[in-house]
Amino acid sequence: MSTASPVPAAPSGTGSHGAAPSGAVPPAPRLTPTTAARLAADLAALPYTTGAVEALLGAMAVSALDREHAEAARAVLAAGVPEADRPLAAMAGAFMLGDPVPAADLAAAVPALGLDGLREAGLLMDAHPGDPEGTVRAACDLSPYDADEPGPMWVASDQTALQRRGPLPAEHVLGVGRASLTLAGAVQRRKVDTALDLGTGCGIQTLHLLAHARHVTATDLAPRCLDYTRFNLLLNADVLGLDRENPGERVELLTGDMLTPVAGRRFDMVVSNPPFVITPRTDPDAPVMVYRDGGREGDRLVAEFISAIPAHLNPGGTAQMLANWEIPAAESGADDGPLASASEGASSTSAGPSSAESWDARPRRWVAEGAAAVSAAEGRDVPVQAWIIQRDLQDAAGYAETWLQDSSLELDPEQYQRRYAQYLADFAARGVRGVGFGHVWLRRPAADGSQAGAWTHTEELTQPIDDAIGGAWAAAVARRDRLAAGRTTDRAEATNHGEGPAGGEGAVVGKGAGTDPALATLRSLHLTVAADVTEERHQRFGAEHPEVILARQGAGFRRTARLDTATAGLLAASDGELTVGQIVGALGALLELDERAQTALLVAVRELYEDGFLVEVG
Ligand SMILES: C[S@@+](CC[C@H](N)C(=O)[O-])C[C@H]1O[C@@H](n2cnc3c(N)ncnc32)[C@H](O)[C@@H]1O
């Protein structure tokens, strides 16, 4: 940690598996307020932006780079670029490809900071043997990063396997990866006072949080990560609205294991892409890749985190994270196991009892443990709300392959085979058949009663969804809140856990829907079909009626709902003029629906409303 840094990182607690830099990686770069301002001015003037790089390299080379292949970009640069583009080519070649570049070109890219300034900031490393005369090399990745909020930035991180041309070291500091973007896009953003970014890495989530949080606490087990975060904060201070002389006013950097550095503290928002990857811990020689391995057995780290987090939330506070969860064979239910259960686009309530219900047993238990823990600590019943989305499901072998390839172990076949076998043995020892991946959202309801009740909603969404799902997700939560005042039971609780008769709708009807205040609220709403929803009918030639009617969302979660005649009729009639209750009454008369069938229709409408097929007018 640089003592000159204006963002102090207070050490607090040591990790269960400290990962001191081994010498395989250079120290993280560092900036002072002055050098940060100079470098930012140079990069802005160049300009070093995603658009400029794409104009230079071409779209094909840039998408190949995104897939960690540099040859197409190298070919463009080797073919020669116009004189005026040489400084930009030097920046991209050095900091995105990890190649030696002409020193004079790189110097021209940073006239204010200069090559000496780059070197002093730790952004350059010694030439490799065989590097051409007069060239220099970057010591890290420094890439432009486009974000609508807070705006375009630059992000420094350790060199990737592509840039290093070799496997990643255990101390690797991750750049902006797919998972970082998935989480950043899923965060339900709102103005908050305090936010926590746990396992900040290069600080990417913190950069986003600063757009809507007055103060952000960023933690990491690895001090090198916090050095990178500090670098990125100072470099992007202008767009972040940070005072370079006093960034500590808005950001605090803490070293330590998981929640240890923030013991006893509460936040309005917690965001984390934690080191959730499951790695066999049987081999003491196996390196702990600190950027992804939590160092615990199986999914213990995620379990501990989910069950501990409610105690760190203010009333109305939310936590969002990415996670893996193990699916034990015993919970996989049907013979075809958990892997047959991921049905594309399936609604959580569309299936009856099947193996699909079981993947969520463990995450649900962790949420319940979190509620119990915070209630015990506070000596009163503290409700916790949770929404857990399983996006992917892999069997044990597929999971092993994914993460062995992630650390480029296929370059070493002997190690690859040994570790593959360890993975299989580790999963077998715990009776694990599959591993789920997805989003976890937790909330401690606000004290004013506007977010009533304790509920856990789980669903599998394996279809492609929007990258930036946060807005659609927040709107879905708001619609649930709208009905929550009167909710007697969560629909997933009712269907997944046998609280009512089998079958989604029957379960809620059995609860006495006539007196369910949530349905009473629903009856009073003026709804219309959301703008992105289209109807799809499948009808045999010559048939009088369609056999299948589907409603499809063109945005957000991109769900598909199968409709019966009554529900399709209700959607067709929902133009916002009549209330839901009026339309149900009219359809009841037209289709001769008895009271039970009308209630079933209302329950289906509730689901379509909560899922965003129907929205309130105005
Ligand atoms: C998957 S990376 C996420 C980085 C970044 N937040 C993002 O969204 O891309 C996980 C981060 O957790 C950190 N980490 C690993 N073990 C940890 C622990 N026990 N406690 C806190 N942070 C830890 C790693 O150093 C790494 O920066």
Side-chain angles (χ1 to χ4, degrees), residues 601-614:
L601 175 58
L602 261 184
V603 171
V605 172
R606 177 168 92 176
E607 191 167 328
L608 291 168
Y609 171 66
E610 289 181 340
D611 286 347
F613 289 92
L614 288 164

Side-chain angles (χ1 to χ4, degrees), residues 109-143:
V110 288
L113 188 59
L115 275 192
D116 287 346
L118 282 184
R119 198 164 281 115
E120 216 170 283
L123 287 162
L124 299 182
M125 66 159 89
D126 293 341
H128 287 188
D131 279 357
E133 193 69 23
T135 59
V136 287
R137 271 184 184 269
C140 65
D141 183 297
L142 175 60
S143 298

Side-chain angles (χ1 to χ4, degrees), residues 331 341 348 351-361 364 458 460 495-498:
E331 289 179 356
S341 68
S348 60
S354 76
S355 57
E357 295 173 0
S358 57
W359 66 265
D360 60 355
R364 276 179 176 274
T458 61
E460 285 184 271
T495 54
N496 285 355
H497 297 277

Side-chain angles (χ1 to χ4, degrees), residues 161 166-168 292 403-412 416:
L168 299 175
R292 61 174 217 198
W403 293 108
L404 290 171
Q405 278 159 23
D406 176 76
S407 41
S408 313
L409 267 194
E410 72 274 20
L411 300 175
D412 181 344
Y416 185 89

Side-chain angles (χ1 to χ4, degrees), residues 206-226:
T206 290
L207 298 179
H208 280 284
L209 284 169
L210 280 167
H212 56 99
R214 182 194 59 79
H215 187 270
V216 180
T217 300
T219 72
D220 207 288
L221 182 66
R224 267 184 95 245
C225 288
L226 297 179

Side-chain angles (χ1 to χ4, degrees), residues 54-302:
E54 182 160 337
L56 177 77
L57 299 178
M60 181 181 81
V62 168
S63 16
L65 263 184
D66 284 346
R67 298 190 302 271
E68 292 269 303
H69 292 281
E71 290 320 313
R74 286 196 179 111
V76 172
L77 296 181
V81 300
E83 190 64 28
D85 285 341
R86 289 180 67 99
L88 178 62
M91 273 305 294
F95 288 102
M96 295 176 75
L97 306 183
D99 288 345
V101 298
D105 290 351
L106 193 61
V110 288
L113 188 59
L115 275 192
D116 287 346
L118 282 184
R119 198 164 281 115
E120 216 170 283
L123 287 162
L124 299 182
M125 66 159 89
D126 293 341
H128 287 188
D131 279 357
E133 193 69 23
T135 59
V136 287
R137 271 184 184 269
C140 65
D141 183 297
L142 175 60
S143 298
Y145 173 63
D146 255 350
D148 291 342
E149 286 286 334
M153 294 181 276
W154 305 279
V155 177
S157 57
D158 271 342
Q159 289 193 321
T160 60
L162 160 109
Q163 293 160 344
R164 295 172 55 87
R165 300 183 189 222
L168 299 175
E171 306 89 340
H172 180 68
V173 176
L174 209 59
V176 182
R178 251 186 276 283
S180 329
L181 296 174
T182 299
L183 177 63
V187 171
Q188 298 176 28
R189 300 194 184 276
R190 63 186 200 284
K191 282 237 171 291
V192 291
D193 190 47
T194 55
L196 167 66
D197 170 15
L198 191 145
T200 190
C202 66
I204 180 63
Q205 308 300 336
T206 290
L207 298 179
H208 280 284
L209 284 169
L210 280 167
H212 56 99
R214 182 194 59 79
H215 187 270
V216 180
T217 300
T219 72
D220 207 288
L221 182 66
R224 267 184 95 245
C225 288
L226 297 179
D227 290 343
Y228 268 110
T229 300
R230 188 178 301 108
F231 179 100
N232 289 325
L233 287 168
L234 288 178
L235 182 58
N236 295 294
D238 302 321
V239 71
L240 296 171
L242 278 185
D243 177 358
R244 282 201 176 93
E245 297 293 342
N246 187 20
E249 191 180 35
R250 292 198 58 210
V251 193
E252 168 189 35
L253 305 180
L254 301 177
T255 317
D257 183 35
M258 297 308 286
L259 288 157
T260 316
V262 293
R265 290 176 60 183
R266 288 194 199 162
F267 300 87
D268 298 325
M269 185 177 275
V270 177
V271 166
S272 183
N273 174 11
F276 56 76
V277 175
I278 297 164
T279 310
R281 301 258 61 90
T282 38
D283 180 354
D285 296 336
V288 173
M289 307 295 284
V290 73
Y291 71 89
R292 61 174 217 198
D293 298 334
R296 272 67 156 182
E297 186 188 55
D299 54 18
R300 276 318 306 160
L301 180 131
V302 173

